[in-house]
Amino acid sequence: MKIAIASGKGGTGKTTLSTNLASFWAEKTTIVLTDLDVEEPNSGLFIEGKKVHQENKFKMIPKWEKTDCILCGNCQKVCNFNAVMKLGEMIMVFPELCHGCYACSELCPTKSLPMIPKKMGELKYFKSDNLDFIESKLIIGEEQAVSLIKQTLDYVNNNFPKNTIKIFDAPPGTSCPVIEATKDADLILLVTEPTPFGLHDLKLAVDTMRKLKKNFGIIINRFGIGDNKVEKYCSENKIPFIAKIPNMRKIAELYSTGNLLYKEIPEVKVQLENIITFISKYQQENAL
Amino acid sequence: MKILLTAKGIEWDSKMDPRFGRTEFFFIYDEETEKIETYDNRAIANEAHGAGPKTAQKMSEYNINVLITGNGPGGNAAAVVNQTGIKVFIGAGEMTVKEAYNAYKNGDLKEF
């Protein structure tokens, strides 16, 4: 079963929830936690494990070979991302802008733009008892998160059995990287905070999940600040409201020193148990 | 010398556009023929990515010698500019086109 932890707004607690839920649940069963926020992965700050595997990840980009090129400019015309440009007597490629779609290469009449691999990031696999932790990270300058997220999902799907509980820490927002990180998940947990800003971005995330026809539930983090409009929104829109993590200074202190919360804060443990019960029930009902 | 200025309009009195990639217009002045050419680049607003290279590519079609702008081209556009050998002068973002041209002639602009 695949569970993605997402949010509209950034900084609502995706990583806090992902790492605590995965570690707590792993005390009872095998859990795979994957950090898909490849632009800035930080789940790893809270997981102590032994590195068991590492591999480079590549994207394919065109490389201009001038010998047969007739400078027709077709490559520039078919590129949607301005990543290939005809400049006078030469063709220039901008690797960071390239989405690796192959259009320029496939449609070149003289086959002058063969695709070559370019390193875009690294995948690392750590192990700690029942917990398998995978994270991918883009190298500096790379901006195509989607391709690396897809390759990371492929790695997880190919290396762990289908019925293992897999938790995915998704990037924030509602753009392409979030779509890629959530589109194959069985269940999405949307983390929000009970503030006008939190609710505004939660609505965007809900709209996105509805477009993707996903099943989702909502978790409020920092419960106690702001107002009750998120709860009202959930009940009015019949969205499952799964748990509320309290707003406590102690939580911020533990987080800021890279520690997990449930070991020291009983209220957090109770909320994680609520979440596990909700997921387990969903898993049984849907035979996942 | 053929000089391209990034501008918000098509007159000598128009304000300069400090941006290179997302400039609204090109104002091109040929010192030999004293002719002015302009190009409407406003469609660039529809480009989510790669505005710099796209504008630089357009610029390369005009065979210019000098570019005068405000902030200076970003990384991708600068790579194109380097290829073409165009001299770039920056810091004219708050001027009119005329003022920017005069500042360049007087050597008051910084070379990029």
Side-chain angles (χ1 to χ4, degrees):
Chain A
M1 186 195 185
K2 297 182 214 169
I3 304 138
I5 298 181
S7 70
K9 186 180 172 297
T12 56
K14 288 179 298 303
T15 298
T16 304
L17 178 65
S18 301
T19 52
N20 280 278
L21 180 64
S23 301
F24 179 57
W25 208 346
E27 291 178 359
K28 294 171 206 141
T29 182
T30 301
I31 301 289
V32 181
L33 170 66
T34 308
D35 195 341
L36 292 178
D37 191 3
V38 301
E39 287 172 273
E40 40 206 352
N42 60 354
S43 284
L45 298 172
F46 303 91
I47 306 290
E48 279 174 28
K50 190 170 163 276
K51 190 162 82 182
V52 290
H53 180 70
Q54 177 170 351
E55 64 187 54
N56 290 331
K57 290 295 181 191
F58 299 86
K59 68 174 186 179
M60 299 302 283
I61 58 160
K63 180 176 184 283
W64 183 52
E65 284 179 0
K66 66 191 264 183
T67 324
D68 296 326
C69 179
I70 52 170
L71 297 166
C72 66
N74 196 48
C75 46
Q76 171 181 313
K77 215 167 74 198
V78 300
C79 182
N80 271 333
F81 306 101
N82 299 318
V84 190
M85 289 283 159
K86 177 177 162 253
L87 287 165
E89 299 285 288
M90 70 173 294
I91 304 292
M92 219 171 151
V93 175
F94 300 91
E96 282 76 24
L97 295 174
C98 178
H99 284 53
C101 76
Y102 282 66
C104 62
S105 185
E106 296 282 325
L107 297 170
C108 173
T110 57
K111 304 268 170 268
S112 299
L113 286 163
M115 299 295 279
I116 57 157
K118 178 180 187 293
K119 183 179 169 183
M120 69 177 321
E122 287 171 353
L123 178 149
K124 290 176 186 166
Y125 172 13
F126 301 86
K127 227 175 150 28
S128 157
D129 298 324
N130 274 338
L131 181 65
D132 294 285
F133 172 61
I134 287 129
E135 72 160 26
S136 283
K137 191 178 192 172
L138 285 172
I139 56 175
I140 291 170
E142 279 300 328
E143 50 183 270
Q144 304 305 333
V146 172
S147 166
L148 186 55
I149 291 171
K150 185 177 184 327
Q151 292 187 56
T152 308
L153 287 168
D154 288 344
Y155 180 87
V156 172
N157 292 333
N158 292 336
N159 285 281
F160 298 95
K162 206 169 174 289
N163 59 355
T164 310
I165 302 277
K166 303 183 188 82
I167 298 171
F168 297 95
D169 186 4
T174 50
S175 64
C176 299
V178 179
I179 307 297
E180 190 64 38
T182 54
K183 71 179 184 189
D184 289 327
D186 301 303
L187 177 67
I188 320 286
L189 305 181
L190 295 175
V191 190
T192 188
E193 59 183 33
T195 61
F197 193 179
L199 178 60
H200 176 273
D201 284 8
L202 174 68
K203 286 177 181 170
L204 297 177
V206 166
D207 287 348
T208 308
M209 291 308 132
R210 289 204 164 133
K211 272 245 156 70
L212 290 172
K213 300 193 169 55
K214 288 290 162 193
N215 291 304
F216 57 90
I218 287 170
I219 293 162
I220 297 184
N221 189 18
R222 304 193 66 199
F223 186 81
I225 59 164
D227 51 40
N228 64 354
K229 286 185 180 144
V230 171
E231 288 161 280
K232 223 173 130 217
Y233 170 76
C234 289
S235 70
E236 277 170 11
N237 290 277
K238 301 192 170 52
I239 299 167
F241 177 56
I242 309 168
K244 41 192 181 195
I245 299 166
N247 181 50
M248 289 170 73
R249 186 184 167 89
K250 178 84 177 154
I251 289 181
E253 283 171 5
L254 287 167
Y255 176 87
S256 67
T257 48
N259 285 298
L260 293 169
L261 313 177
Y262 71 90
K263 292 177 179 172
E264 298 192 40
I265 303 179
E267 290 102 304
V268 170
K269 207 180 228 175
V270 171
Q271 296 303 317
L272 292 176
E273 273 160 358
N274 289 345
I275 297 168
I276 292 171
T277 306
F278 180 89
I279 296 171
S280 302
K281 190 162 165 259
Y282 186 87
Q283 188 182 19
Q284 278 170 6
E285 284 169 3
N286 294 279
L288 294 163
Chain B
M1 283 288 183
K2 205 172 167 185
I3 298 158
L4 188 152
L5 300 102
T6 56
K8 287 192 175 292
I10 55 171
E11 310 287 339
W12 279 112
D13 290 334
S14 301
K15 293 291 274 180
M16 289 286 286
D17 194 325
R19 302 166 301 176
F20 173 72
R22 294 190 181 276
T23 185
E24 293 183 25
F25 294 92
F26 288 168
F27 182 100
I28 302 156
Y29 179 57
D30 189 330
E31 291 182 308
E32 272 99 83
T33 63
E34 295 188 358
K35 274 198 180 130
I36 294 164
E37 270 181 281
T38 59
Y39 170 71
D40 185 342
N41 194 45
R42 286 176 292 183
I44 203 73
N46 301 325
E47 300 287 334
H49 304 282
K54 187 157 188 169
T55 298
Q57 196 278 333
K58 195 73 207 167
M59 174 178 76
S60 76
E61 293 173 8
Y62 287 94
N63 294 317
I64 59 154
N65 311 101
V66 173
L67 164 68
I68 301 173
T69 185
N71 305 328
N76 286 325
V80 178
V81 171
N82 283 340
Q83 285 293 333
T84 53
I86 294 168
K87 279 194 178 217
V88 184
F89 292 88
I90 59 169
E94 300 299 314
M95 304 176 185
T96 65
V97 172
K98 186 83 198 162
E99 287 164 355
Y101 175 69
N102 287 337
Y104 157 73
K105 289 309 271 183
N106 295 334
D108 293 338
L109 295 180
K110 198 174 131 199
E111 190 163 353
F112 183 66

